[in-house]
């Protein structure tokens, strides 16, 4: 607006007297060429207290990525969750509004969240999701641990083949693989026909559209995410530790409990997180295999969004789920940090 | 070496010869009988028979890959012999699993449990035996005291230095008071200075606890410093079992002579073979080698004469008897080692002979120096004739 606000263009203060300029020029010529003036953005980014250098630069890129593609959508969802349903485009009330060109009106509607608490369906869906995800995680662990152990203990050449087999399903689309289970599980599907053909059963067993089918789907789909982190910790395990345990009097089973199991804890935790977290919000598997009666939060959210077109409630469901999942993780990490601190203190 | 070890050595020597003073005959604690271990077609341990006595510090010495670890692992129970038997304290243990054997092992990598503190590591074996916890506590404190680690009991292994870890591994294996402690390269991961100090510590602990130690090592000096007796292995076989002294002075094969200390080996023809002396004609030497002990060789056959570098005399003057056991050459190089110097003398035949001389005086100039023409000579009793 005014020239006062632009100090850099104040010519008289920048340029020194002609005589002085000559002496400065002579001096610098003797030492080194004068540094080229850098762009201002360059100075902010690479010089001064907020400079990005080395490690900072490397870390900044993924953070920028997360900021852009994770936090921004999250902020949008958070905003919508505080709106109210409305017929129109977009189908929710605005959060910030100018009224009469005078007032800035911020409307925070809690109807979506209130709805979650009032209607027991939502609470039940949350609890159902947690229960199914937890059970499936335990099943994955029980199945995955021996598999990972077996792979880690096999010879290097067999090991590569077995690992390849574990990740092989990823070459086919997740959706198609879940669809395939319909063909296996339905009443006149592969499994029922085989069992009836063998004379084991007379009537087809109702498997599709049951919780059993959901477990099959989740365990089948997420097993690799359990096996791989378990495998990496088990593979690193020093075999001489087990020998030492046996040398000191442990039977093999006891050595496993005292040495292998505690040392593979990081793999167990990582695997369980990788299975549990996406399972809670899983939509495709309960929708395709679980039938209409399944109450899982992912499905409820889908219904709110696409059938009821109630974006605020759907967003509130999503935010509540996030909080429900993030809080335990943060708590767990705090706990781990505290344990580490304790260990360090103990050593002093 | 302590008096204790010296006495034990004598007793063992008598027992090995079938000596028969019943009162101080040492008790054998490990008997390895014709043990062979094959991996596929590869024979890692080949028909080994060995007796180890109670209270001994016994070393298995050999180059890398000669089968020492495999033999030790068979004693611990981690490998089963393809054939042969292993008796521990008189009982056949060939097929007994490790957790039921009265021996413990200290691993080359130490194998300390990373998720347990030092105390928990040491207590581990005791708890497996169902020892009451008050007693466990007492024993752990006792063991940590031995290696002066009482202050570090609450630390995890990764918070210890290499030397401290080594000591934790040692007392963890000793805590159960095993009849025999098996140690696989116990000092292999330590630097030279620490290793030398720890050798003596290890011997002290061994003697004060009276536990039999079987130590695997590839370091000849280490075996010599610590052991009551040493077995030298090569390609899965045991070549010689003896006290370090006997091993050095009376090696029975060329391999042992060359492996156990440095040596000048001369190949020649056995020209005279009498009961009290032999004469070997060696083309690399200008005079024949006269040895003042008989050997079971064949006249006219090939023989090897071993002479240790420190048993060779070096002088500028001609020795009294120039008809045998001497040669002339030129000093090619002098390697100064502090306490002694090694002279490399190039004989007229081109052969280089190592001669060690003590640097007993701090004289400014050595008497013999580079490019001097010298005589080397040795006593007839200082030559050992070995088989190939
Ligand atoms: N489990 C095994 N399978 C195949 N070969 C082995 C096995 N263990 C040891 N060997 C072989 O046996 C030989 C002796 O090994 P080892 O006893 O470890 O030697 P070292 O004397 O260096 O301790 C080596 O050549 C090694 O490759
Ligand atoms: Mg070895």
């Amino acid at each position: 607006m005014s020239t006062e606000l632009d100090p850099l263009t104040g010519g008289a203060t920048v340029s020194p007297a002609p005589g002085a300029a000559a002496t400065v020029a002579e001096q610098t010529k003797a030492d080194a060429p004068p540094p080229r003036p850098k762009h201002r953005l360059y100075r902010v980014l690479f010089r001064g207290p907020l400079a990005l250098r080395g490690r900072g630069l490397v870390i900044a890129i993924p953070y920028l990525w997360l900021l852009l593609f994770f936090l921004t959508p999250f902020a949008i969802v958070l905003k919508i969750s505080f709106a109210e349903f409305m017929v129109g485009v977009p189908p929710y009330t605005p959060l910030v509004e100018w009224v009469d060109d005078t007032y800035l009106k911020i409307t925070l509607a809690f109807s979506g969240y209130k709805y979650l608490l009032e209607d027991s369906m939502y609470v039940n869906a949350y609890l159902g999701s947690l229960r199914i995800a937890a059970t499936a995680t335990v099943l994955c662990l029980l199945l995955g641990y021996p598999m990972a152990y077996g792979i880690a203990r096999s010879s290097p050449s067999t090991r590569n083949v077995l690992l390849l087999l574990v990740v092989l399903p990823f070459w086919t689309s997740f959706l198609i693989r879940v669809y395939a289970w319909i063909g296996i599980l339905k009443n006149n599907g592969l499994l029922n026909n085989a069992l009836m053909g063998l004379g084991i059963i007379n009537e087809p067993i109702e498997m599709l559209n049951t919780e059993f089918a959901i477990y099959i789907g989740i365990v089948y789909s997420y097993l690799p995410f359990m096996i791989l982190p378990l495998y990496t910790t088990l593979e690193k395990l020093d075999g001489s530790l087990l020998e030492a345990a046996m040398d000191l009097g442990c039977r093999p089973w006891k050595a496993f409990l005292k040495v292998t199991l505690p040392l593979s804890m990081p793999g167990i935790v990582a695997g369980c997180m990788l299975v549990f977290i996406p399972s809670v919000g899983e939509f495709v598997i309960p929708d395709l295999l679980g039938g209409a009666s399944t109450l899982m939060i992912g499905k409820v959210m889908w219904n709110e969004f696409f059938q009821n077109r109630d974006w605020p409630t759907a967003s509130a469901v999503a935010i509540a789920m996030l909080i429900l999942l993030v809080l335990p993780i943060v708590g767990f990490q705090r706990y781990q940090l505290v344990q580490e601190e304790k260990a360090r203190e103990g050593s002093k | 070496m302590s008096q204790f070890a010296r006495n034990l050595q004598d007793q063992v020597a008598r027992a090995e010869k079938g000596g028969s003073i019943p009162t101080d005959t040492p008790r054998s604690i490990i008997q390895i009988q014709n043990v062979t271990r094959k991996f596929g077609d590869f024979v890692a341990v080949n028909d080994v028979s060995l007796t180890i006595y109670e209270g001994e510090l016994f070393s298995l010495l050999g180059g890398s890959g000669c089968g020492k670890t495999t033999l030790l692992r068979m004693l611990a129970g981690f490998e089963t012999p393809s054939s042969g038997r292993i008796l521990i304290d008189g009982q056949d243990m060939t097929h007994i699993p490790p957790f039921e054997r009265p021996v413990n092992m200290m691993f080359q990598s130490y194998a300390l449990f990373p998720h347990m503190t030092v105390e928990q590591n040491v207590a581990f074996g005791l708890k497996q035996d169902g020892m009451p916890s008050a007693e466990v506590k007492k024993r752990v404190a006792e063991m940590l005291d031995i290696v002066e680690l009482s202050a570090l009991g609450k630390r995890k292994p990764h918070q210890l230095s290499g030397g401290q870890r080594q000591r934790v591994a040692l007392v963890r294996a000793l805590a159960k008071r095993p009849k025999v402690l098996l140690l696989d390269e116990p000092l292999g991961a330590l630097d030279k200075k620490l290793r030398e100090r720890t050798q003596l510590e290890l011997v002290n602990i061994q003697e004060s606890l009276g536990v039999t130690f079987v130590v695997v090592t590839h370091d000849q000096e280490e075996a010599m410093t610590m052991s009551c007796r040493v077995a030298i292995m090569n390609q899965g076989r045991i070549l010689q079992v003896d006290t370090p002294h006997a091993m050095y002075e009376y090696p029975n094969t060329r391999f042992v002579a060359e492996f156990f200390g440095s040596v000048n080996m001369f190949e020649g023809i056995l020209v005279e073979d009498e009961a009290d002396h032999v004469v070997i004609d060696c083309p690399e030497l200008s005079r024949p080698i006269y040895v003042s002990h008989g050997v079971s060789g064949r006249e006219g056959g090939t023989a090897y004469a071993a002479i240790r570098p420190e048993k060779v005399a070096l002088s500028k003057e001609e020795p009294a008897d120039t008809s045998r056991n001497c040669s002339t050459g030129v000093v090619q190089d002098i390697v100064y080692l502090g306490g002694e110097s090694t002279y490399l003398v190039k004989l007229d035949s081109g052969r280089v002979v190592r001669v060690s001389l003590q640097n007993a005086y701090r004289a400014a100039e050595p008497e013999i120096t580079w490019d001097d023409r010298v005589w080397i000579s040795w006593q007839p009793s200082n030559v050992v004739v070995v088989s190939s």
Side-chain angles (χ1 to χ4, degrees):
Chain A
M1 286 191 279
S2 75
T3 47
E4 292 164 24
L5 290 177
D6 215 341
L8 283 177
T9 51
T13 51
V14 175
S15 63
T23 50
V24 167
E26 270 160 29
Q27 273 173 4
T28 44
K29 210 179 276 174
D31 298 340
R36 232 182 48 188
K38 299 280 188 198
H39 194 269
R40 203 166 178 176
L41 179 67
Y42 177 92
R43 282 206 307 263
V44 171
L45 282 177
F46 300 107
R47 299 271 178 269
L50 291 172
L52 288 175
R53 262 181 247 113
R55 215 165 70 102
L57 196 65
V58 173
I59 293 174
I61 292 167
Y63 268 94
L64 223 64
W65 178 272
L66 277 178
L67 198 73
L68 220 65
F69 295 107
F70 177 75
L71 274 187
T72 316
F74 175 75
I76 295 171
V77 171
L78 188 66
K79 186 194 108 178
I80 297 175
S81 77
F82 286 112
E84 250 177 323
F85 175 70
M86 177 183 94
V87 181
V89 178
Y92 54 87
T93 55
L95 197 68
V96 182
E97 226 173 354
W98 279 106
V99 181
D100 303 337
D101 279 342
T102 321
Y103 308 106
L104 184 68
K105 198 175 114 196
I106 300 177
T107 323
L108 281 181
F110 285 89
S111 53
Y113 291 100
K114 235 174 96 190
Y115 213 43
L116 294 190
L117 290 175
E118 278 167 1
D119 194 336
S120 65
M121 185 208 37
Y122 294 108
V123 176
N124 287 341
Y126 275 119
L127 292 178
S129 290
L130 291 178
R131 180 176 55 81
I132 288 175
T135 315
T137 305
V138 171
L139 290 175
C140 273
L141 183 62
L142 291 179
L143 264 171
Y145 203 101
M147 288 170 86
Y149 193 85
I151 296 172
R153 286 278 160 276
S154 58
S155 73
S157 53
T158 337
R159 191 183 298 175
N160 286 339
V161 174
L162 292 174
L163 279 177
L164 190 73
L165 287 176
V166 169
V167 293
L168 199 62
F170 291 127
W171 261 278
T172 312
S173 147
F174 169 69
L175 205 61
I176 290 174
R177 283 183 286 130
V178 177
Y179 254 106
W181 274 105
I182 297 178
I184 297 172
L185 295 174
K186 65 185 177 188
N187 277 2
N188 58 348
L190 217 59
L191 198 57
N192 270 319
N193 283 352
L195 287 177
M196 287 201 289
L198 289 170
I200 298 171
I201 51 170
N202 298 324
E203 296 267 292
I205 303 173
E206 182 85 34
M207 283 185 284
L208 197 62
N209 300 336
T210 61
E211 214 163 78
F212 170 73
I214 296 181
Y215 285 131
I216 292 264
I218 294 182
V219 170
Y220 161 78
S221 304
Y222 288 100
L223 193 57
F225 296 104
M226 182 62 89
I227 292 178
L228 294 177
L230 277 176
Y231 163 77
T232 34
T233 47
L234 287 172
E235 192 255 346
K236 272 187 296 185
L237 193 80
D238 181 2
S240 65
L241 293 180
L242 279 183
E243 286 185 343
M246 290 211 272
D247 186 67
L248 292 169
C250 281
R251 285 167 182 284
W253 177 241
K254 192 113 184 261
F256 171 81
L257 288 181
K258 292 249 169 192
V259 176
T260 312
L261 201 60
L263 286 178
S264 57
M265 229 14 148
I268 294 178
V269 171
C272 286
M273 294 250 183
L274 283 179
V275 173
F276 181 75
I277 293 169
S279 298
V280 172
E282 183 56 57
F283 161 72
V284 172
I285 293 170
D287 190 56
L288 291 181
L289 303 179
S293 62
T294 322
L295 266 185
M296 274 185 84
I297 202 67
K299 247 191 103 185
V300 170
M301 194 163 68
W302 170 278
N303 287 342
E304 292 298 350
F305 206 87
F306 289 99
Q307 287 180 358
N308 304 348
R309 283 187 48 84
D310 186 350
W311 289 21
T313 307
S315 300
V317 168
I319 296 293
M321 189 164 81
L322 197 80
I323 290 167
L324 224 65
L325 286 180
V326 164
L327 284 184
I329 296 171
V330 171
F332 180 77
Q333 277 184 336
R334 283 296 282 276
Y335 167 80
Q336 269 192 326
L337 270 180
V338 169
Q339 291 297 100
E340 267 169 40
E341 287 284 307
K342 261 190 204 156
R344 223 168 291 147
E345 304 249 308
S347 73
K348 274 171 198 161
Chain B
M1 174 172 300
S2 69
Q3 189 61 38
F4 166 82
R6 186 80 195 89
N7 289 341
L8 186 68
Q9 261 183 0
D10 288 345
Q11 292 163 18
V12 167
R14 249 174 279 143
E16 289 276 287
K17 289 201 185 79
S20 58
I21 305 166
T23 48
D24 62 353
T25 302
R27 217 161 60 86
S28 74
I29 189 100
I30 289 181
Q31 282 164 288
I32 301 170
Q33 299 174 347
N34 304 98
V35 163
T36 296
R37 174 67 169 130
K38 292 180 187 163
F39 295 109
D41 283 342
F42 180 76
V43 186
V45 172
N46 197 347
D47 193 24
V48 165
S49 294
L50 200 60
T51 305
I52 295 167
Y53 295 92
E54 197 167 30
E56 260 193 307
L57 199 158
F58 190 93
S59 291
L60 284 168
L61 176 65
S64 176
C66 72
K68 312 175 296 282
T69 298
T70 307
L71 185 58
L72 199 73
R73 287 170 59 80
M74 285 195 282
L75 296 180
F78 297 121
E79 302 275 359
T80 327
S82 308
S83 66
R85 287 206 314 161
I86 291 172
L87 275 66
I88 299 175
D89 207 15
Q91 279 178 301
D92 190 340
M93 291 270 165
T94 316
H95 299 286
I96 303 290
F99 43 87
E100 283 168 7
R101 294 194 184 203
V103 302
N104 281 122
M105 178 145 162
M106 181 184 155
F107 290 77
Q108 187 167 6
S109 60
Y110 306 150
L112 295 176
F113 303 124
H115 57 302
M116 297 182 196
T117 62
V118 168
E119 281 173 357
Q120 287 167 333
N121 264 286
V122 178
F124 190 89
L126 302 171
K127 284 190 185 151
Q128 299 315 308
D129 286 358
M131 188 188 258
S133 62
E135 223 170 300
V136 169
K137 217 166 174 182
K138 207 172 128 240
R139 177 79 67 86
V140 169
E142 206 175 288
M143 296 316 288
L144 288 179
D145 200 41
I146 291 179
V147 288
E148 290 162 15
L149 286 178
S150 308
L152 305 183
K154 297 278 186 285
R155 284 205 190 176
K156 294 267 179 79
H158 70 92
Q159 295 162 324
L160 300 177
S161 72
Q164 290 166 343
R165 261 179 249 174
Q166 188 261 358
R167 274 138 66 197
V168 176
L170 177 68
V171 287
R172 183 182 70 176
L174 276 171
K176 291 179 78 171
R177 304 243 166 96
K179 286 181 179 155
V180 180
L181 184 68
L182 310 167
L183 304 95
D184 193 356
E185 309 258 4
L187 310 175
L190 306 182
D191 60 65
K192 193 166 160 52
K193 253 265 119 45
L194 190 56
R195 194 159 61 217
E196 280 167 8
R197 215 184 60 208
T198 315
Q199 283 169 5
L200 299 177
E201 267 178 28
L202 212 55
V203 172
N204 283 338
I205 291 172
Q206 189 263 335
E207 285 178 3
S208 64
L209 296 181
V211 177
T212 312
F213 275 28
V214 180
V215 181
V216 156
T217 174
H218 65 267
D219 184 338
Q220 169 262 132
E221 264 176 57
E222 188 174 300
M224 208 183 286
T225 317
M226 301 199 311
S227 326
C228 292
R229 287 191 309 149
V230 181
I232 291 202
M233 283 186 81
N234 186 33
Q235 297 184 340
R237 287 181 183 279
I238 288 193
L239 299 180
Q240 187 170 353
V241 185
D242 245 319
T243 62
H245 176 257
M247 192 75 80
Y248 188 78
E249 302 295 349
Y250 308 102
N252 63 7
T253 55
R254 214 183 138 173
F255 181 88
V256 171
E258 284 173 346
F259 194 87
F260 208 71
S262 105
V263 74
N264 295 297
M265 190 66 66
F266 295 101
E267 185 179 342
I269 309 290
L270 198 61
V271 289
E272 213 180 306
D273 184 8
E274 302 292 331
D276 65 336
H277 73 272
V278 292
V279 175
I280 297 167
D281 210 356
C282 172
E284 287 170 338
L285 296 167
S286 48
R287 307 285 189 281
I289 302 173
Y290 180 93
V291 189
S292 64
H293 67 80
V295 291
S296 54
R298 182 171 49 84
E299 216 164 283
T302 309
Y304 294 92
I307 311 170
R308 298 284 182 195
E310 75 279 6
K311 296 192 170 66
V312 181
L314 194 63
S315 90
K316 284 183 181 168
E317 272 94 59
E318 200 169 290
D321 180 3
T322 53
S323 65
R324 62 193 195 188
N325 286 359
C326 61
S327 202
T328 54
V330 173
V331 175
Q332 191 184 34
D333 210 347
I334 305 172
V335 183
Y336 178 71
L337 298 168
E340 56 171 49
S341 290
T342 300
Y343 290 72
L344 300 179
V345 179
K346 190 168 189 178
L347 303 183
D348 301 335
S349 62
R351 166 70 191 263
V352 176
V353 173
R354 299 172 73 91
V355 183
S356 291
L357 295 184
Q358 287 289 320
N359 295 328
Y361 301 101
R362 216 163 146 190
E365 283 297 313
E367 201 181 320
I368 299 168
T369 177
W370 278 270
D371 295 330
D372 277 355
R373 197 154 176 84
V374 290
W375 282 86
I376 59 164
S377 59
W378 54 88
Q379 297 299 313
S381 59
N382 282 340
V383 186
V384 189
V385 180
V386 295
S387 67
S388 65

